[in-house]
Amino acid sequence: MTTLQDCRALDAQDPLHGLRDLFTLPEGVIYLDGNSLGPLPKAAPDRVARAVREEWGGGLIRSWNTAGWYEMPGRLGDRIATLIGAGAGEVVATDSTSINLFKVLSAALSIAAADAPQRRVVLSERSNFPTDLYIAEGLCRERGLELKLVEAEGIADALDERSAVLMLTHVNYRTGAMHDMAAVTRAAHAAGALVIWDLAHSAGAVEVDLRGADADFAIGCGYKYLNGGPGAPAFVWVHPRHADRFWQPLSGWWSHAAPFAFTPDYRPAAGIARYLCGTQPILSMTALECGLDTVLAAQPHGGMQALRRKSLALTDLFIALVEERCAGHGLGLATPRAHAQRGSQVCLTREQGAYAIVQALVARGVIGDFRAGIPDILRFGFTPLYLRFEDVWHAVEHLRQVLAEGEWKRPEFHRQQAVT
């Protein structure tokens, strides 16, 4: 059985242990919800305050030029590109994940309609993140197309001559199961379909190689593993072979080839810049840049490979400790055990009481979250930048006590919060 001393020994040998100092983490809190919202980088408050006080307050509108505001979407995009296997000039940080999905799905459907108008189906996983399905449902209704949902294991069989676009989230938000991006993309292309990947639970958490997988489009989130702050700008990537083929539908002035010419007609910018839309949220971009600094600080220690190794070690330890110390309390495992099929989270199942158990843990300072379903999910994210092996041991010990003592049965833990 793994002991607390064993975990402390692992922490002492961890080459990434110093990266925890980059974050402001409340005393007494074990934060296992970085897959929903990353914690605050220590550098962010002063950096954002400087942008407010000096760049906005002192520089005023001049800061678009003097402080580099105008170049931020591309500059941050290039930094994100290094984390997702994309090239320089292929990614922009902009808008939200949902808005970016609307842009790329619209463009992909336009390409499919031009190349193979008989293809009328958008295919996705039934358990994909709901907003992705909502966006696809709206576009399919608008264009008279079919949205077809299948279970993960049925994707390959569902790809056929009617498939226009396959739209998937790389790591499932609910279970932590991870698709083989390269294999799935090959299968889709063999069937003649384009592929869109949602990297919301991948970027900064697992190794991603969009170019190596020959993907077509990708979007992702800035406020989870990239630690950009609540509602941080998202990002969008388009393979260069597609970037100039069609307008994206939100043709705002920032995506114009010459935005300051102020012509009444729209002429799209070349490449990924045409996937911008309106004026960018500079203060939010500033916070996101601090978040990217924390992830890129792992580069001297092995970068994403080192982060992935530690992520797998943390999740392996959590699974093993839960099964050793919490047996007999009705917990199941929704997350795949195989490393190649697992993201950076562990999801436990329970027929009853999952929400109350999570709330009891939160009251103890162990912050995970809950996802309703059949069965319900207790969801725990493991961000190797700041989590320690000792944290995992203590988290499981708290879970054991909550279950063994029936603490979760207290009425206050059953009151539904707005955000779960």
Side-chain angles (χ1 to χ4, degrees):
M1 180 177 290
T2 303
T3 66
L4 176 58
Q5 289 68 33
D6 293 331
C7 293
R8 287 173 174 164
L10 289 172
D11 287 325
Q13 300 163 12
D14 176 19
L16 302 175
H17 74 278
L19 300 181
R20 181 180 173 89
D21 294 335
L22 298 175
F23 297 91
T24 297
L25 293 163
E27 190 68 31
V29 167
I30 300 172
Y31 192 60
L32 302 180
D33 211 11
N35 53 331
S36 276
L37 174 65
L40 175 68
K42 283 182 180 177
D46 287 345
R47 177 65 189 92
V48 173
R50 189 166 74 251
V52 170
R53 185 177 57 250
E54 298 176 12
E55 296 172 14
W56 179 15
L60 296 169
I61 199 168
R62 295 170 294 183
S63 289
W64 286 107
N65 292 317
T66 60
W69 287 359
Y70 187 72
E71 294 79 18
M72 286 188 84
R75 186 172 75 247
L76 271 59
D78 282 348
R79 303 186 79 194
I80 294 168
T82 66
L83 303 173
I84 59 174
E90 295 179 3
V91 179
V92 285
T94 185
D95 296 321
S96 70
T97 309
S98 299
I99 291 173
N100 288 335
L101 178 60
F102 180 79
K103 296 173 190 174
V104 299
L105 181 55
S106 296
L109 290 173
S110 295
I111 292 171
D115 292 348
Q118 76 280 6
R119 294 180 176 273
R120 310 287 294 168
V121 173
V122 175
L123 179 65
S124 192
E125 187 176 355
R126 194 177 308 280
S127 64
N128 201 351
F129 190 66
T131 196
D132 293 30
L133 300 181
Y134 304 158
I135 295 290
E137 182 181 4
L139 276 168
C140 285
R141 184 184 299 114
E142 179 184 289
R143 297 188 181 212
L145 305 177
E146 177 188 350
L147 175 60
K148 183 177 180 179
L149 304 181
V150 298
E151 303 301 328
E153 57 272 18
I155 291 169
D157 290 337
L159 287 163
D160 58 25
E161 69 281 354
R162 298 179 64 242
S163 304
V165 176
L166 174 62
M167 179 190 74
L168 293 173
T169 299
H170 186 210
V171 174
N172 187 281
Y173 82 102
R174 181 175 160 79
T175 66
M178 184 169 66
H179 289 287
D180 183 332
M181 180 181 288
V184 171
T185 301
R186 279 196 302 273
H189 286 174
L194 298 168
V195 187
I196 297 171
W197 289 102
D198 182 338
L199 305 179
H201 290 271
S202 304
V206 302
E207 293 176 88
V208 178
D209 188 1
L210 291 171
R211 280 296 205 115
D214 197 32
D216 297 297
F217 300 87
I219 47 94
C221 173
Y223 55 80
K224 294 182 172 68
Y225 294 103
L226 300 186
N227 308 311
F235 62 88
V236 56
W237 172 82
V238 178
H239 195 289
R241 66 173 170 257
H242 301 308
D244 293 324
R245 287 200 63 187
F246 283 91
W247 295 10
Q248 57 96 352
L250 302 178
S251 46
W253 77 298
W254 268 61
S255 65
H256 196 284
F260 289 93
F262 297 115
T263 60
D265 61 310
Y266 181 72
R267 182 162 51 91
I272 194 63
R274 72 173 55 189
Y275 282 82
L276 298 169
C277 181
T279 306
Q280 302 300 306
I282 296 303
L283 299 181
S284 295
M285 289 275 194
T286 301
L288 174 59
E289 188 156 31
C290 293
L292 292 173
D293 286 342
T294 65
V295 183
L296 294 171
Q299 298 288 42
H301 309 285
M304 285 307 308
Q305 289 185 343
L307 290 171
R308 178 62 171 158
R309 281 194 300 271
K310 184 178 175 184
S311 164
L312 290 170
L314 290 167
T315 49
D316 280 344
L317 176 63
F318 184 79
I319 292 169
L321 287 174
V322 167
E323 292 179 343
E324 287 174 6
R325 302 177 65 79
C326 301
H329 290 285
L331 295 175
L333 180 65
T335 303
R337 295 178 187 273
H339 286 182
Q341 299 171 18
R342 184 197 312 164
S344 199
Q345 65 189 56
V346 176
C347 300
L348 306 177
T349 62
R350 202 169 194 270
E351 295 297 333
Q352 294 182 331
Y355 174 79
I357 292 168
V358 169
Q359 293 306 307
L361 287 171
V362 171
R364 285 170 164 258
V366 180
I367 302 180
D369 61 23
F370 164 83
R371 292 295 178 262
I374 303 174
D376 289 337
I377 294 283
L378 301 85
R379 196 175 72 146
F380 304 97
F382 294 83
T383 305
L385 286 169
Y386 52 83
L387 280 174
R388 301 170 298 196
F389 292 93
E390 178 177 348
D391 295 328
V392 175
W393 194 95
H394 285 302
V396 176
E397 176 59 17
H398 281 292
L399 176 60
R400 186 194 68 78
Q401 292 178 20
V402 164
L403 294 168
E405 297 169 14
E407 190 173 319
W408 63 275
K409 298 177 182 179
R410 286 162 41 183
E412 64 265 32
F413 298 136
H414 292 261
R415 298 190 190 106
Q416 197 77 15
Q417 302 278 346
V419 178
T420 62

